[in-house]
Amino acid sequence: MTYAPETERAAALSRAASAAIESITDSEWPTLLAEALRELDATWQESAEVCADVAWQGRAAGNSVLDLLTSEHVTDSSTDPVIWQTYRHLYLSTLRFDFRCHTMESLMHKVPVSVLNDDPYSEALYAFSRLGQSRSDGLAVMDRVLVASSGHPKTVHVLLHGVWLSSLLPGRASLLLALVGLLPEGGLNDPIALFRMASARRSLGQYPEALTAIGHALDLLPPGDPAVQADLVREHALITTAYDLSKRGSASRNTTHS
């Protein structure tokens, strides 16, 4: 297939996403989106860009794709490849937003390796399912994805999310900072990347830098997503509390040794 010029194609993908969001309270929205992306013969990158955002919108609207599709939509290879890709991205992205790592991992074991080789975004979601359980074997999957995806931002964000969730993974904070650095402009104009950066800085005891990052994230966050804003505000409170405790500890040690 010969693709349209980049700006036209981006506009067509935006229209497909907008149409799905407009019908987000309808039970047919995943089918409408899948058919629109099939018509465009969407690449895995394009599907990832659209599906992650629309899946979030469906979940926020109380019409999650998990209530409209079944796990077979993830594992059934008999359907059209682009439609299968769309359903896979929608379903697994929503499981990711719900932190259902065990379910994700179980489903991904039923997806052929050949499919994952052609779809680094799905493999990133597989890495998320392992990283989210603080399993170090997810790091090898992550490394494969980073090579295969060539730093595709939406894919890097899935890996960032997995490492952020992996509270028991050794070297978590440094890994978060490394992944943020792979994003455009080092993540400095991306509120979610800055949120992850702030978490990493807090873990490393770099409290002033953490406060700067989370403050910038709050400034950049678009209006209309109170759940994400609440996460950022919570991180700000965690940093402030940890910073205050650190300063009190330092003051106490100085008093003891004076």
Side-chain angles (χ1 to χ4, degrees):
M1 176 177 179
T2 301
Y3 291 136
E6 187 173 340
T7 53
E8 290 180 24
R9 191 158 180 83
L13 288 163
S14 179
R15 285 193 298 272
S18 296
I21 291 170
E22 286 170 9
S23 62
I24 208 75
T25 57
D26 190 288
S27 63
E28 295 300 311
W29 74 258
T31 303
L32 294 172
L33 181 60
E35 289 173 350
L37 293 184
R38 180 181 61 177
E39 180 138 348
L40 289 167
D41 195 21
T43 64
W44 69 263
Q45 295 97 326
E46 292 167 339
S47 177
E49 295 287 341
V50 172
C51 289
D53 293 341
V54 179
W56 177 266
Q57 293 290 337
R59 181 176 175 272
N63 200 25
S64 168
V65 76
L66 302 183
D67 296 323
L68 305 175
L69 301 179
T70 68
S71 60
E72 282 71 27
H73 285 90
V74 177
T75 58
D76 181 11
S77 60
S78 65
T79 189
D80 175 271
V82 176
I83 287 182
W84 184 23
Q85 174 179 265
T86 304
Y87 288 154
R88 190 168 63 246
H89 287 175
L90 287 173
Y91 201 91
L92 292 171
S93 291
T94 307
L95 288 174
R96 168 196 160 203
F97 298 142
D98 286 352
F99 302 118
R100 292 169 62 174
C101 297
H102 291 286
T103 302
M104 289 178 73
E105 184 179 10
S106 176
L107 279 176
M108 293 304 288
H109 285 157
K110 300 174 184 177
V111 176
V113 173
S114 59
V115 172
L116 300 185
N117 289 340
D118 292 333
D119 179 9
Y121 187 72
S122 286
E123 189 166 28
L125 289 161
Y126 180 43
F128 172 89
S129 74
R130 291 177 172 235
L131 292 168
Q133 299 172 70
S134 295
R135 289 176 50 181
S136 58
D137 57 4
L139 295 173
V141 184
M142 183 186 76
D143 288 342
R144 285 202 307 271
V145 170
L146 287 173
V147 172
S149 68
S150 301
H152 177 246
K154 217 65 167 181
T155 303
V156 173
H157 266 293
V158 172
L159 300 173
L160 256 176
H161 196 187
V163 173
W164 174 82
L165 190 59
S166 64
S167 55
L168 302 178
L169 195 69
R172 168 186 171 274
S174 297
L175 194 50
L176 280 173
L177 294 176
L179 288 169
V180 168
L182 297 177
L183 292 168
E185 299 176 340
L188 295 179
N189 288 313
D190 182 331
I192 302 303
L194 286 163
F195 168 49
R196 311 290 186 214
M197 180 191 295
S199 172
R201 297 291 187 197
R202 172 170 57 84
S203 295
L204 293 169
Q206 300 170 355
Y207 303 119
E209 295 87 345
L211 285 171
T212 297
I214 200 65
H216 194 28
L218 285 162
D219 282 340
L220 289 175
L221 188 69
D225 204 335
V228 176
Q229 185 185 40
D231 284 342
L232 269 60
V233 169
R234 191 177 303 114
E235 179 61 41
H236 189 282
L238 289 171
I239 296 166
T240 302
T241 301
Y243 194 16
D244 287 345
L245 289 172
S246 172
K247 287 189 287 189
R248 287 179 194 172
S250 295
S252 175
R253 284 192 297 274
N254 289 338
T255 301
T256 302
H257 292 114
S258 62

